[in-house]
Amino acid sequence: MSMSNTASGNTSPNLENRLQIEQLLNAATLSASALTEKSDVISGLTQKPKSVQARYFYDDDGSQLFEQICDLPEYYLTRTETAILQECAKSIAQITGACELVELGSGSSTKTRILLDAYNQLNLPLHYVSIDVSAGILESSAKALLANYPSLQVHALVSTYELALKQLKPASLPNRLICFIGSSLGNLNPQECQVFFSQITKALQKGEYFLLGIDLHKSKDILEPAYNDSQGVTAAFNLNMLNHLNQRFDGNFDLTQFEHLAFYNETERQIEMYLRSLRAQTVTLNALDLTIEIASDETILTEISRKFDLNSIQQELQAQGLKPMQVWTDANQHFGVLLCRLLN
Ligand code: AVI
């Protein structure tokens, strides 16, 4: 583990005592992950069908486009989950009591505030551990939270989920609650999901909690517009991945020669998002020493977004030792929030 830094700044008088920023991505982990990244991109682009991992959406532009997606009228996910959290946050705080809240992929921590407010109103002590790969977002959102919550302690970890979950020390308050909201579980395939759940169970002690927000299976008339919005923001988000790859690997993808494609695969119960080539083309990524041929109409899979069934996901969680204690949904059953407890 690398050195931890105490943040400086004057957002709040006692900020130094309440904010700790720790960089877990040191030179060794970064160079190991750079090697894996390169081989993942090469194997994705040379296999048939072609694919690129969804994490390449999230450079600075991609993260901003994603924030815009969350506000789109067609993208019901964010506002539905927010409304559910507003309903259930008090119950969650009552169930867990004083607690260390660990958030995976905390980003701007907007929805987290709903939980923080609930703990605050019940006068329950709370520590917040935020985990994100972007140091900039972590620091700015942590400082904003500290300014609004005068008794909050924040420990920000610049890290991948995997690494942070492995390195978490025992909770600093009687309980730990790991939050994975925003339906990001849907972006993992079933095998990745299993691995993820086992990382969660290892990071919890018996009796501690896991909060999960998931999008639910529903009519494609609602699902498909959410990923094909009328303003073209999702299309720009998808195409931006090529920009990111160009910058990262010195490539020459021509964004005007691809189009966004997203549809609901009813059998797999997942949105599939692709970039479709508008003509036969050759693309080179110099930093990967890679040249690929892409046929006209050939597609590159960029994301799956799985839509869950509440009964099946509860069985899966239970099988992993994470007992669902309480499940909240909206009136239309579009989205689900589950509070689970580690059994043994
Ligand atoms: C981050 N994730 C939950 C989003 C989703 O809905 O699967 C990513 C996204 N892709 C297109 N629109 C939003």
Side-chain angles (χ1 to χ4, degrees):
M1 193 185 300
S2 68
M3 296 257 300
S4 65
N5 309 316
T6 302
S8 58
N10 55 4
T11 318
S12 170
N14 59 348
L15 184 90
E16 282 81 5
N17 304 327
R18 296 193 291 129
L19 174 59
Q20 191 194 2
I21 300 181
E22 201 173 340
Q23 171 62 264
L24 299 188
L25 299 174
N26 56 27
T29 51
L30 281 173
S31 85
S33 83
L35 278 179
T36 332
E37 276 182 9
K38 284 184 178 178
S39 73
D40 285 350
V41 173
I42 294 172
S43 70
L45 286 175
T46 50
Q47 74 197 7
K48 274 204 166 188
K50 291 184 168 49
S51 63
V52 179
Q53 288 182 313
R55 67 183 144 107
Y56 287 99
F57 284 135
Y58 302 98
D59 61 356
D60 287 348
D61 289 344
S63 301
Q64 262 181 21
L65 286 162
F66 181 64
E67 295 284 317
Q68 286 179 42
I69 288 176
C70 293
D71 291 334
L72 290 169
E74 297 95 333
Y75 196 76
Y76 60 87
L77 288 83
T78 311
R79 63 174 178 276
T80 310
E81 186 180 45
T82 302
I84 297 172
L85 286 172
Q86 274 157 352
E87 286 293 312
C88 68
K90 189 173 171 196
S91 306
I92 294 170
Q94 278 165 338
I95 294 170
T96 69
C99 157
E100 180 191 87
L101 191 153
V102 178
E103 188 174 14
L104 305 176
S106 50
S108 56
S109 302
T110 316
K111 280 178 275 187
T112 320
R113 286 172 179 262
I114 301 168
L115 291 169
L116 298 184
D117 287 339
Y119 283 89
N120 239 354
Q121 277 158 20
L122 294 171
N123 278 322
L124 291 168
L126 184 69
H127 290 178
Y128 178 49
V129 177
S130 52
I131 301 168
D132 206 290
V133 283
S134 163
I137 292 178
L138 268 180
E139 183 163 353
S140 59
S141 52
K143 285 184 174 171
L145 288 177
L146 290 169
N148 295 141
Y149 299 88
S151 59
L152 186 67
Q153 300 271 350
V154 180
H155 187 179
L157 299 175
V158 185
S159 175
T160 60
Y161 309 158
E162 198 184 13
L163 191 62
L165 286 172
K166 260 193 221 152
Q167 299 199 7
L168 283 178
K169 299 180 187 86
S172 51
L173 283 169
N175 268 312
R176 168 168 284 157
L177 168 66
I178 300 183
C179 293
F180 195 49
I181 53 179
S183 195
S184 297
L185 190 77
N187 302 128
L188 306 181
N189 66 34
Q191 201 191 336
E192 291 166 336
C193 226
Q194 285 244 339
V195 173
F196 173 74
F197 286 148
S198 74
Q199 289 163 346
I200 293 291
T201 56
K202 282 186 192 130
L204 292 174
Q205 307 278 345
K206 187 178 171 188
E208 289 185 329
Y209 300 92
F210 175 51
L211 186 72
L212 179 65
I214 45 166
D215 197 15
L216 302 177
H217 167 69
K218 60 183 71 63
S219 157
K220 69 197 306 182
D221 296 344
I222 298 169
L223 283 167
E224 290 189 339
Y227 293 83
N228 290 284
D229 65 277
S230 56
Q231 296 169 50
V233 183
T234 312
F237 172 73
N238 197 8
L239 283 160
N240 178 65
M241 181 187 270
L242 299 180
N243 246 339
H244 187 195
L245 291 174
N246 282 344
Q247 277 162 27
R248 188 88 169 244
F249 302 113
D250 187 17
N252 67 349
F253 277 109
D254 178 351
L255 274 65
T256 66
Q257 297 306 318
F258 289 88
E259 69 179 5
H260 164 73
L261 172 68
F263 58 84
Y264 189 51
N265 178 333
E266 300 259 12
T267 317
E268 298 296 332
R269 292 200 165 183
Q270 62 191 21
I271 287 282
E272 294 176 6
M273 218 156 86
Y274 297 89
L275 288 163
R276 178 159 55 196
S277 174
L278 296 175
R279 62 172 167 84
Q281 46 186 319
T282 305
V283 173
T284 299
L285 295 158
N286 291 310
L288 300 179
D289 235 341
L290 176 72
T291 296
I292 50 168
E293 302 295 334
I294 310 175
S296 179
D297 278 339
E298 187 175 351
T299 54
I300 303 174
L301 175 69
T302 52
E303 182 175 62
I304 58 163
S305 187
R306 293 166 65 214
K307 307 301 165 188
F308 296 91
D309 167 78
L310 270 181
N311 289 328
S312 322
I313 190 74
Q314 286 185 80
Q315 281 168 20
E316 203 176 324
L317 286 160
Q318 175 98 30
Q320 297 274 341
L322 291 162
K323 185 180 168 48
M325 299 187 64
Q326 196 118 25
V327 179
W328 296 271
T329 63
D330 53 300
N332 298 315
Q333 299 242 336
H334 281 175
F335 202 95
V337 173
L338 296 88
L339 180 66
C340 307
R341 194 164 196 195
L342 185 68
L343 284 175
N344 45 42

